[in-house]
Amino acid sequence: MKSFEFANPQSETEALELMNDHPEQTAVLAGGTDLISLMQADIIRPERVVDIKNITSMHDVAEVDNGLMVGALTTLEEVLDNSKIAEYASVAQAADAVHAIQIQSSGTIAGDLCHLPNCWYYRNGYGMLGLENGTSLPETGDNRYHAIFGNSGPAKFVTASRFAPALIAWGAKVRIIGPGPDEAEMLPLEYFYTTPRTERQGTTVLKPGQLVSHIWLPKTAGTVSGNYDVLQTEGLDWPLASASATLTISGGRVSDARIVLGHVAPTPWVSHDAATSLLGKTISEATAQAAGDAAVSRATPLSDNGYKVQLARTAVKRAILRSAGLLEGGL
Ligand SMILES: Cc1cc2nc3c(=O)[nH]c(=O)nc-3n(C[C@H](O)[C@H](O)[C@H](O)COP(=O)(O)OP(=O)(O)OC[C@H]3O[C@@H](n4cnc5c(N)ncnc54)[C@H](O)[C@@H]3O)c2cc1C
């Protein structure tokens, strides 16, 4: 690992000052469960690491007038233990699905949202786009775990975030601070992710010198939700496909629906087709199945990952049934 300066700010303002001496060469450290591995592998080589863990304002989970403000440094374990977050069932289910106590106690919610791709070409030094002499390795080589949506450009990896589908389905926003000391904006999480076309572009809208300080969730207001991950094993692993559903049900029929898939595209994948198919319907196995079919109707699998289409279809169907309390014990 290359040597680096280590900074340990105590406040958001101090963190921004430390990040803005050399913004392009600075990395933000939260729980460190992923960043340290990337630095050890020389994939990321920062001049300075800014450890944000001692910024107390970013640890709070607080009720606000119109919802819940969750500090970026809330760990997965704290997500699971928090009674207010428990009301957002799909978010708690996403944390519960990470089957490692060590990761749950160290990994943070914003670290998960900003997690870089697990794509093996990226992790083995071929860059985010996996190019070798101008040839796309994910396109010509092994692409079993790659994208089945949003893959027409050079990026074929899938987003790694476990929480993003659930949070986007809830209409969450992220509070982004920096690069200036007084700059802050609230951005819908749906617009936080980007698909890079060049190696210099990132996977989020964050500019050098910016970080996520909080995640805002709207009031639950009777809305129900569910998350479903399709995993290869019951052990430590990322899903092959996942889906989150958030439903408002009035008089037994769906009046509003948001369906978001994870691990199937370079960004979390919002399926308007699936959501629209549910409007005015009661939730049953047949309507959930139809939404799953709608969700994958525009999939564009690569040479080796056609199997993920069925996994995504099933994830959507089961997330919807889980939201309505119809999954457990049934399927
Ligand atoms: C061995 C192992 C097994 C795992 N297993 C699973 C699993 O089974 N399922 C699963 O879903 N996940 C799994 N994970 C992933 C784990 O959940 C994430 O690594 C963790 O949530 C990341 O949080 P962190 O705080 O440790 O992030 P860090 O490693 O500190 O940071 C991750 C990235 O986010 C950036 N970042 C962090 N915080 C901020 C912020 N506030 N603003 C802007 N950028 C930020 C960092 O610069 C870095 O690029 C595993 C990880 C490991 C190491």
Side-chain angles (χ1 to χ4, degrees):
M1 190 193 300
K2 179 177 150 304
S3 61
F4 55 88
E5 290 175 5
F6 184 78
N8 188 16
Q10 308 294 308
S11 69
E12 293 179 11
T13 312
E14 198 188 343
L16 293 178
E17 278 168 16
L18 287 161
M19 287 171 68
N20 277 294
D21 287 340
H22 314 284
E24 305 270 357
Q25 284 88 41
T26 300
V28 174
L29 177 77
T33 58
D34 194 48
L35 182 69
I36 300 295
S37 323
L38 287 167
M39 288 171 61
Q40 283 171 334
D42 267 344
I43 307 288
I44 292 185
R45 297 164 53 84
E47 297 291 333
R48 178 179 290 178
V49 171
V50 176
D51 180 355
I52 57 175
K53 273 196 297 295
N54 288 329
I55 304 177
T56 45
S57 62
M58 287 169 55
H59 283 272
D60 291 343
V61 177
E63 279 184 274
V64 288
D65 279 352
N66 51 359
L68 197 65
M69 237 5 184
V70 180
L73 293 168
T74 306
T75 63
L76 277 53
E77 186 177 40
E78 288 163 346
V79 167
L80 281 169
D81 288 347
N82 190 290
S83 60
K84 289 289 156 207
I85 300 179
E87 292 173 23
Y88 303 85
S90 56
V91 178
Q93 288 161 8
D96 194 34
V98 176
H99 297 132
I101 296 166
Q102 299 89 330
I103 299 300
Q104 286 181 346
S105 63
S106 310
T108 64
I109 189 162
D112 169 85
L113 293 179
C114 300
H115 198 291
L116 288 160
N118 288 319
C119 167
W120 56 30
Y121 298 109
Y122 174 58
R123 299 275 162 169
N124 284 291
Y126 291 98
M128 205 99 70
L129 305 179
L131 296 175
E132 189 177 49
N133 302 322
T135 300
S136 165
L137 296 175
E139 195 161 338
T140 53
D142 192 333
N143 51 42
R144 268 177 286 171
Y145 302 120
H146 288 77
I148 56 168
F149 293 101
N151 54 9
S152 59
K156 313 289 183 198
F157 61 82
V158 296
T159 170
S161 174
R162 197 74 170 240
F163 285 105
L167 292 170
I168 291 172
W170 272 107
K173 294 182 179 176
V174 277
R175 180 172 179 261
I176 297 174
I177 58 171
D182 300 320
E183 284 182 72
E185 68 168 312
M186 296 295 296
L187 179 78
L189 184 60
E190 182 175 350
Y191 305 126
F192 180 67
Y193 293 96
T194 55
T195 302
R197 297 198 66 83
T198 67
E199 285 296 342
R200 280 187 60 78
Q201 294 170 347
T203 55
T204 70
V205 298
L206 285 181
K207 295 195 280 276
Q210 288 187 315
L211 60 84
V212 174
S213 72
H214 293 83
I215 295 116
W216 170 84
L217 280 158
K219 282 197 164 143
T220 51
T223 302
V224 294
S225 67
N227 188 77
Y228 194 89
D229 295 334
V230 182
L231 286 156
Q232 194 158 20
T233 68
E234 279 298 306
L236 204 56
D237 211 349
W238 278 262
L240 294 167
S242 71
S244 271
T246 302
L247 309 176
T248 308
I249 300 177
S250 323
R253 293 182 185 276
V254 176
S255 59
D256 194 18
R258 302 254 301 164
I259 309 289
V260 186
L261 289 88
H263 311 276
V264 293
T267 62
W269 196 254
V270 178
S271 176
H272 298 291
D273 292 336
T276 305
S277 83
L278 291 173
L279 294 179
K281 308 266 174 53
T282 53
I283 297 299
S284 65
E285 187 158 352
T287 52
Q289 175 72 51
D293 291 341
V296 297
S297 59
R298 298 175 209 240
T300 53
L302 302 168
S303 55
D304 297 329
N305 68 2
Y307 74 98
K308 286 186 68 165
V309 175
Q310 176 59 18
L311 302 189
R313 179 188 280 119
T314 301
V316 169
K317 175 185 169 187
R318 293 188 179 184
I320 292 166
L321 290 173
R322 196 172 197 187
S323 309
L326 297 174
L327 179 62
E328 264 76 25
L331 305 165

